[in-house]
Amino acid sequence: MPKTLTTDRLILRGVTAADAPAYQKYFNDYEVIRQLGHHVPWPYPENGAADFIQNVILPEQDNDKWVWAIFLKTYPTEAIGAVDLWRKGSPENRGFWLGRPFWGQGLMTEAVTIVMDYAFDELGFETLIFSNAKGNIGSRRVKEKTGAKLIDVQPGKMVDPIYTEVEIWELHKYEWQAYRQNS
Ligand SMILES: CC(C)(COP(=O)(O)OP(=O)(O)OC[C@H]1O[C@@H](n2cnc3c(N)ncnc32)[C@H](O)[C@@H]1OP(=O)(O)O)[C@@H](O)C(=O)NCCC(=O)NCCS
């Protein structure tokens, strides 16, 4: 299991099969799914989260791939989103989503901050690459707010066909350390 990480407001712990109902509840939302890569099915199947956790997340968990469920400290029994990190970039090394009721409170910025500390300080990453659909302002802002640099725009296909390009971002360990010292 990935190491459990905590922040002021959040607990991030490795996804388990028990998180499937909450994962399904918040992930099965077009406003969440439409921003993601086109391989995510829409309409989202009834057993989509349980299948994904069982067949995709758990077999790779902690094996150069780390998938944390996000919990509010004030309600630590229900996952409200997830952050994942993987060693072999595609080209990106990180993904995230948060249930819509929780958007706009700085929660994902808080979650990725502790995940990046862990990635650079404990997992040995020297560089992280991120990506988002060009036009996904929330995801873009999370990167801007955490010191990443936009390095490219490429053609891309998301669930919502309105998106046709992806922005690629880069963050080096030394930049993150400088950013953390000044923040
Ligand atoms: C992207 C996502 C994780 C952001 O989570 P969050 O907890 O709301 O993020 P934060 O609050 O830390 O930061 C979001 C920032 O984007 C801004 N933002 C969000 N939507 C915006 C919009 N339409 N226009 C302008 N700014 C917007 C917020 O104001 C905030 O910036 P600020 O702190 O400068 O005000 C969440 O919206 C989500 O899960 N979206 C669907 C899935 C997704 O897009 N995943 C990423 C795929 S690359």
Side-chain angles (χ1 to χ4, degrees), residues 9 27 30-37 82 94-100 102-111 131-133 135-145 158:
R9 292 177 292 174
F27 188 73
Y30 190 63
E31 286 305 311
V32 172
I33 289 180
R34 77 187 189 90
Q35 319 275 358
L36 306 179
R94 186 188 70 191
F96 51 60
W97 68 270
L98 190 68
R100 205 175 349 158
F102 309 98
W103 291 4
Q105 304 169 45
L107 291 175
M108 192 53 78
T109 301
E110 195 168 312
S131 77
N132 56 261
N136 181 351
I137 310 291
S139 185
R140 171 181 237 274
R141 282 291 299 140
V142 171
K143 281 126 184 148
E144 286 175 339
K145 288 194 290 179
M158 318 312 282

Side-chain angles (χ1 to χ4, degrees), residues 14-160:
V15 168
T16 71
D19 298 319
Y23 196 114
Q24 180 81 23
K25 173 177 164 185
Y26 291 118
F27 188 73
N28 183 17
D29 175 348
Y30 190 63
E31 286 305 311
V32 172
I33 289 180
R34 77 187 189 90
Q35 319 275 358
L36 306 179
H38 69 284
H39 53 275
V40 180
W42 184 263
Y44 196 63
E46 220 173 277
N47 57 348
D51 273 358
F52 188 67
I53 291 173
Q54 199 59 45
N55 300 320
V56 180
I57 294 182
L58 294 182
E60 292 180 353
Q61 190 66 299
D62 218 12
N63 184 18
D64 279 348
K65 182 149 188 190
W66 302 267
V67 189
W68 289 271
I70 302 172
F71 300 85
L72 291 170
K73 279 185 175 167
T74 52
Y75 195 52
T77 51
E78 183 181 69
I80 60 166
V83 185
D84 53 345
L85 189 69
W86 54 94
R87 184 86 61 188
K88 194 162 181 260
S90 56
E92 70 274 15
N93 304 102
R94 186 188 70 191
F96 51 60
W97 68 270
L98 190 68
R100 205 175 349 158
F102 309 98
W103 291 4
Q105 304 169 45
L107 291 175
M108 192 53 78
T109 301
E110 195 168 312
V112 300
T113 296
I114 193 79
V115 165
M116 291 191 293
D117 281 348
Y118 185 63
F120 289 126
D121 296 344
E122 297 195 41
L123 296 176
F125 281 86
E126 288 297 324
T127 304
L128 288 170
I129 303 290
F130 312 128
S131 77
N132 56 261
K134 186 174 176 191
N136 181 351
I137 310 291
S139 185
R140 171 181 237 274
R141 282 291 299 140
V142 171
K143 281 126 184 148
E144 286 175 339
K145 288 194 290 179
T146 51
K149 276 191 322 236
L150 182 65
I151 56 165
D152 201 7
V153 178
Q154 301 176 354
K157 220 172 152 190
M158 318 312 282
V159 172
D160 187 338

